Amino acid sequence: MAATPADRSPESTLAFLREGYRFISTRCERLGSDIFTARLLLEPTICLRGRPAAVLFYDTERFQRAGAMPKRAQRTLTGRGGVQGLDGDAHHDRKAMFLSFMTPAAVRQLGQLFADEWRARIPTWTAAGRVVLYDEVARVLMRTVCAWAGVPLAEREVARRTGEMHAMITSAAAIGPRHLRGLLGRRRAEHWIGDLVERTRLGALPVPEGSALRVIAEHRDARGRLLPRRIAAVELLNVLRPTVAVDRYVAFAALALHDHPAWAERVRTSDEATEWFVQEVRRHYPFFPVAAARVRHAFDWQGHHFPAGRRVLLDLYGTNHHPQLWPEPERFRPERFAGWRDDPYGFVAQGGGEHLAGHRCAGEWVTIELMKQAVTLLTTAMRYRMPPQDLALDLGRMPTLPPSGVALDDVRRAD
């Protein structure tokens, strides 16, 4: 049995929080191995990257999600009891619930609502003189996903509810006030959505058939039981929150158009080029850093021992930048996706494996559709100027974003 390389630090949590997206890859390169052990959050942890590692990691016979995600992330980012922490039949049942209202037609409808809302906001952006794209798109996404999901949202609530989504998204790896804001945002959002679930069940709130709110409120498990109010709220927030989080990908897309202006013309005139561009944004820019699981039963793999109960982290960012998978991984090259066939283990921007049976994000198609709409809108529906600003990405901050949020000047409708 080969000895698994190890990060010899007695506790690497602070290093992980400091180095962020590059923590695992830096050590893999230093140790000459795509697997190593480290002590994180006061317990031994196995860290992995690469395609073979992803194939292993998404083997549901060997790994489970129950108890894998740190409790601080459950209390802020995902909520306790949601689909991300389920296994086996319970996970399959809950995942099927999500996929039932994410049909191709429903995804296209969401994309059209987003485009309509974006276009409706352009005159307001014109009048403002300067806007922060990240902030504006977040509110557009909040209005859009609530309308699509059957969630009533008054205009006076948009900023507050968007802030709650952002607090949850940015707090999972934070300490101090930012983490506390995430806890408060989670509590307020679950209370808001829980009330809507109860009103839907009582027939006091008219909700469209097939909408996310209606499906989740009325969903029954294999024993015929409705989801508890709080769990139903968690799962509906698992629709709203990740959709709002696409605002980061939109900001990255605008940054990529700015840094690679030749692609602006290509995506303006070619749907195929837009597809390549969107996929490269998802591969190249940092979104979610790692995925977590625990070993079900002890086993050996490629000469390495995986003890039962051991936490394992798959490096999503590092796998999407692995030089054996992606030649010149640090270069932004959308053409690498020409003729590309979906590889659920080599491209893991939103998790890997199969959507229904595994833990790949059910909202991946939503993300791609919204990003394609955003790229089209940025290049065909409006004109703008990007003033001098700080657009650097700090890979030590999880999740990261240009400090400026991508400011735009002189926004106007395209002629």
Short mmCIF file of all heavy atoms in Angstrom, two decimals, residues 116-144:
data_model
loop_
_atom_site.label_atom_id
_atom_site.label_comp_id
_atom_site.label_asym_id
_atom_site.label_seq_id
_atom_site.Cartn_x
_atom_site.Cartn_y
_atom_site.Cartn_z
N ASP A 116 -36.44 39.60 -20.73
CA ASP A 116 -37.45 40.67 -20.71
C ASP A 116 -37.21 41.63 -19.55
O ASP A 116 -37.31 42.86 -19.72
CB ASP A 116 -38.86 40.07 -20.60
CG ASP A 116 -39.27 39.30 -21.85
OD1 ASP A 116 -38.62 39.45 -22.90
OD2 ASP A 116 -40.25 38.53 -21.75
N GLU A 117 -36.90 41.09 -18.38
CA GLU A 117 -36.65 41.93 -17.22
C GLU A 117 -35.39 42.77 -17.42
O GLU A 117 -35.35 43.95 -17.06
CB GLU A 117 -36.53 41.05 -15.97
CG GLU A 117 -36.23 41.79 -14.68
CD GLU A 117 -37.35 42.70 -14.22
OE1 GLU A 117 -38.53 42.41 -14.55
OE2 GLU A 117 -37.05 43.71 -13.54
N TRP A 118 -34.36 42.18 -17.99
CA TRP A 118 -33.11 42.90 -18.26
C TRP A 118 -33.39 44.08 -19.18
O TRP A 118 -32.97 45.21 -18.89
CB TRP A 118 -32.11 41.94 -18.89
CG TRP A 118 -30.76 42.50 -19.23
CD1 TRP A 118 -30.48 43.57 -20.03
CD2 TRP A 118 -29.48 41.99 -18.79
NE1 TRP A 118 -29.13 43.76 -20.14
CE2 TRP A 118 -28.50 42.81 -19.38
CE3 TRP A 118 -29.09 40.92 -17.99
CZ2 TRP A 118 -27.13 42.59 -19.19
CZ3 TRP A 118 -27.73 40.70 -17.78
CH2 TRP A 118 -26.77 41.53 -18.37
N ARG A 119 -34.07 43.83 -20.29
CA ARG A 119 -34.37 44.90 -21.25
C ARG A 119 -35.20 46.01 -20.60
O ARG A 119 -35.00 47.20 -20.89
CB ARG A 119 -35.09 44.34 -22.46
CG ARG A 119 -34.21 43.49 -23.37
CD ARG A 119 -34.91 43.15 -24.68
NE ARG A 119 -34.04 42.43 -25.58
CZ ARG A 119 -33.98 41.09 -25.65
NH1 ARG A 119 -34.77 40.35 -24.85
NH2 ARG A 119 -33.15 40.50 -26.48
N ALA A 120 -36.12 45.63 -19.74
CA ALA A 120 -36.96 46.63 -19.08
C ALA A 120 -36.15 47.52 -18.15
O ALA A 120 -36.56 48.66 -17.86
CB ALA A 120 -38.07 45.93 -18.29
N ARG A 121 -35.00 47.05 -17.66
CA ARG A 121 -34.19 47.83 -16.73
C ARG A 121 -33.21 48.77 -17.43
O ARG A 121 -32.66 49.67 -16.79
CB ARG A 121 -33.40 46.90 -15.81
CG ARG A 121 -34.22 45.93 -14.99
CD ARG A 121 -35.26 46.61 -14.13
NE ARG A 121 -34.66 47.50 -13.14
CZ ARG A 121 -35.36 48.27 -12.32
NH1 ARG A 121 -36.67 48.28 -12.38
NH2 ARG A 121 -34.73 49.04 -11.44
N ILE A 122 -32.98 48.61 -18.72
CA ILE A 122 -31.96 49.41 -19.41
C ILE A 122 -32.24 50.92 -19.29
O ILE A 122 -31.31 51.69 -19.01
CB ILE A 122 -31.83 48.97 -20.88
CG1 ILE A 122 -31.22 47.55 -20.94
CG2 ILE A 122 -30.93 49.94 -21.66
CD1 ILE A 122 -31.12 46.96 -22.35
N PRO A 123 -33.48 51.40 -19.47
CA PRO A 123 -33.70 52.85 -19.29
C PRO A 123 -33.31 53.36 -17.90
O PRO A 123 -32.78 54.47 -17.76
CB PRO A 123 -35.21 53.00 -19.55
CG PRO A 123 -35.56 51.85 -20.43
CD PRO A 123 -34.69 50.72 -19.95
N THR A 124 -33.57 52.56 -16.88
CA THR A 124 -33.17 52.95 -15.52
C THR A 124 -31.66 53.03 -15.41
O THR A 124 -31.11 53.95 -14.78
CB THR A 124 -33.72 51.94 -14.50
OG1 THR A 124 -35.13 51.87 -14.63
CG2 THR A 124 -33.35 52.32 -13.08
N TRP A 125 -30.96 52.09 -16.02
CA TRP A 125 -29.49 52.12 -15.99
C TRP A 125 -28.97 53.32 -16.78
O TRP A 125 -27.97 53.93 -16.37
CB TRP A 125 -28.94 50.82 -16.56
CG TRP A 125 -29.36 49.60 -15.81
CD1 TRP A 125 -29.89 49.55 -14.55
CD2 TRP A 125 -29.29 48.25 -16.26
NE1 TRP A 125 -30.15 48.25 -14.19
CE2 TRP A 125 -29.81 47.42 -15.22
CE3 TRP A 125 -28.87 47.63 -17.43
CZ2 TRP A 125 -29.89 46.04 -15.33
CZ3 TRP A 125 -28.94 46.25 -17.55
CH2 TRP A 125 -29.45 45.46 -16.51
N THR A 126 -29.62 53.66 -17.87
CA THR A 126 -29.22 54.83 -18.65
C THR A 126 -29.32 56.09 -17.80
O THR A 126 -28.41 56.92 -17.77
CB THR A 126 -30.10 54.96 -19.90
OG1 THR A 126 -29.97 53.79 -20.71
CG2 THR A 126 -29.70 56.19 -20.72
N ALA A 127 -30.42 56.23 -17.08
CA ALA A 127 -30.64 57.40 -16.24
C ALA A 127 -29.65 57.48 -15.09
O ALA A 127 -29.30 58.57 -14.63
CB ALA A 127 -32.07 57.41 -15.72
N ALA A 128 -29.18 56.32 -14.62
CA ALA A 128 -28.29 56.30 -13.47
C ALA A 128 -26.89 56.80 -13.79
O ALA A 128 -26.16 57.24 -12.91
CB ALA A 128 -28.21 54.88 -12.90
N GLY A 129 -26.49 56.71 -15.04
CA GLY A 129 -25.14 57.13 -15.42
C GLY A 129 -24.12 56.04 -15.22
O GLY A 129 -23.47 55.61 -16.16
N ARG A 130 -23.96 55.57 -14.00
CA ARG A 130 -23.06 54.45 -13.70
C ARG A 130 -23.83 53.41 -12.90
O ARG A 130 -24.56 53.77 -11.97
CB ARG A 130 -21.84 54.90 -12.92
CG ARG A 130 -20.95 53.73 -12.43
CD ARG A 130 -19.63 54.19 -11.86
NE ARG A 130 -18.79 54.77 -12.90
CZ ARG A 130 -17.53 55.17 -12.70
NH1 ARG A 130 -16.98 55.06 -11.49
NH2 ARG A 130 -16.83 55.68 -13.70
N VAL A 131 -23.66 52.15 -13.26
CA VAL A 131 -24.29 51.06 -12.53
C VAL A 131 -23.24 49.99 -12.24
O VAL A 131 -22.23 49.88 -12.95
CB VAL A 131 -25.47 50.43 -13.31
CG1 VAL A 131 -26.58 51.44 -13.51
CG2 VAL A 131 -25.01 49.85 -14.65
N VAL A 132 -23.49 49.22 -11.20
CA VAL A 132 -22.65 48.05 -10.88
C VAL A 132 -23.38 46.82 -11.40
O VAL A 132 -24.46 46.48 -10.91
CB VAL A 132 -22.38 47.96 -9.37
CG1 VAL A 132 -21.60 46.68 -9.05
CG2 VAL A 132 -21.62 49.18 -8.89
N LEU A 133 -22.82 46.19 -12.41
CA LEU A 133 -23.50 45.09 -13.09
C LEU A 133 -23.89 43.97 -12.13
O LEU A 133 -25.01 43.45 -12.18
CB LEU A 133 -22.61 44.54 -14.21
CG LEU A 133 -23.24 43.45 -15.08
CD1 LEU A 133 -24.41 43.98 -15.88
CD2 LEU A 133 -22.19 42.83 -16.00
N TYR A 134 -22.99 43.59 -11.24
CA TYR A 134 -23.27 42.51 -10.30
C TYR A 134 -24.52 42.81 -9.47
O TYR A 134 -25.40 41.96 -9.33
CB TYR A 134 -22.05 42.32 -9.40
CG TYR A 134 -22.26 41.41 -8.21
CD1 TYR A 134 -22.43 40.04 -8.37
CD2 TYR A 134 -22.29 41.94 -6.92
CE1 TYR A 134 -22.61 39.22 -7.26
CE2 TYR A 134 -22.45 41.12 -5.82
CZ TYR A 134 -22.62 39.76 -6.00
OH TYR A 134 -22.81 38.96 -4.90
N ASP A 135 -24.62 44.01 -8.94
CA ASP A 135 -25.78 44.39 -8.12
C ASP A 135 -27.06 44.42 -8.94
O ASP A 135 -28.11 43.94 -8.50
CB ASP A 135 -25.55 45.75 -7.47
CG ASP A 135 -24.41 45.74 -6.47
OD1 ASP A 135 -24.09 44.65 -5.94
OD2 ASP A 135 -23.82 46.82 -6.22
N GLU A 136 -26.98 45.01 -10.12
CA GLU A 136 -28.17 45.15 -10.95
C GLU A 136 -28.67 43.79 -11.44
O GLU A 136 -29.88 43.51 -11.41
CB GLU A 136 -27.89 46.07 -12.14
CG GLU A 136 -27.58 47.50 -11.78
CD GLU A 136 -28.75 48.19 -11.10
OE1 GLU A 136 -29.91 47.84 -11.40
OE2 GLU A 136 -28.50 49.09 -10.27
N VAL A 137 -27.76 42.95 -11.88
CA VAL A 137 -28.16 41.64 -12.38
C VAL A 137 -28.72 40.78 -11.25
O VAL A 137 -29.67 40.00 -11.45
CB VAL A 137 -26.98 40.93 -13.07
CG1 VAL A 137 -27.30 39.47 -13.37
CG2 VAL A 137 -26.64 41.65 -14.37
N ALA A 138 -28.19 40.92 -10.04
CA ALA A 138 -28.73 40.17 -8.90
C ALA A 138 -30.20 40.48 -8.70
O ALA A 138 -31.02 39.57 -8.50
CB ALA A 138 -27.94 40.50 -7.64
N ARG A 139 -30.56 41.76 -8.78
CA ARG A 139 -31.96 42.13 -8.59
C ARG A 139 -32.82 41.67 -9.77
O ARG A 139 -33.98 41.26 -9.58
CB ARG A 139 -32.07 43.63 -8.35
CG ARG A 139 -31.49 44.05 -7.00
CD ARG A 139 -31.78 45.50 -6.67
NE ARG A 139 -30.92 46.41 -7.40
CZ ARG A 139 -29.76 46.87 -6.95
NH1 ARG A 139 -29.31 46.48 -5.77
NH2 ARG A 139 -29.04 47.73 -7.66
N VAL A 140 -32.27 41.73 -10.97
CA VAL A 140 -32.99 41.20 -12.13
C VAL A 140 -33.26 39.71 -11.95
O VAL A 140 -34.37 39.22 -12.19
CB VAL A 140 -32.20 41.46 -13.43
CG1 VAL A 140 -32.79 40.68 -14.61
CG2 VAL A 140 -32.18 42.96 -13.76
N LEU A 141 -32.25 38.97 -11.51
CA LEU A 141 -32.41 37.54 -11.29
C LEU A 141 -33.41 37.25 -10.17
O LEU A 141 -34.19 36.29 -10.26
CB LEU A 141 -31.06 36.90 -10.97
CG LEU A 141 -30.10 36.75 -12.15
CD1 LEU A 141 -28.69 36.48 -11.68
CD2 LEU A 141 -30.57 35.64 -13.09
N MET A 142 -33.40 38.06 -9.12
CA MET A 142 -34.33 37.84 -8.02
C MET A 142 -35.77 38.02 -8.49
O MET A 142 -36.64 37.20 -8.18
CB MET A 142 -34.01 38.82 -6.88
CG MET A 142 -34.74 38.50 -5.59
SD MET A 142 -34.08 37.03 -4.79
CE MET A 142 -35.51 36.44 -3.89
N ARG A 143 -36.02 39.09 -9.23
CA ARG A 143 -37.37 39.30 -9.77
C ARG A 143 -37.76 38.15 -10.69
O ARG A 143 -38.89 37.64 -10.64
CB ARG A 143 -37.44 40.62 -10.54
CG ARG A 143 -37.25 41.88 -9.72
CD ARG A 143 -37.45 43.11 -10.59
NE ARG A 143 -37.07 44.34 -9.90
CZ ARG A 143 -35.90 44.94 -10.03
NH1 ARG A 143 -34.95 44.39 -10.80
NH2 ARG A 143 -35.64 46.05 -9.38
N THR A 144 -36.83 37.75 -11.53
CA THR A 144 -37.11 36.74 -12.54
C THR A 144 -37.42 35.39 -11.92
O THR A 144 -38.43 34.75 -12.26
CB THR A 144 -35.90 36.61 -13.49
OG1 THR A 144 -35.68 37.86 -14.15
CG2 THR A 144 -36.14 35.53 -14.52
#
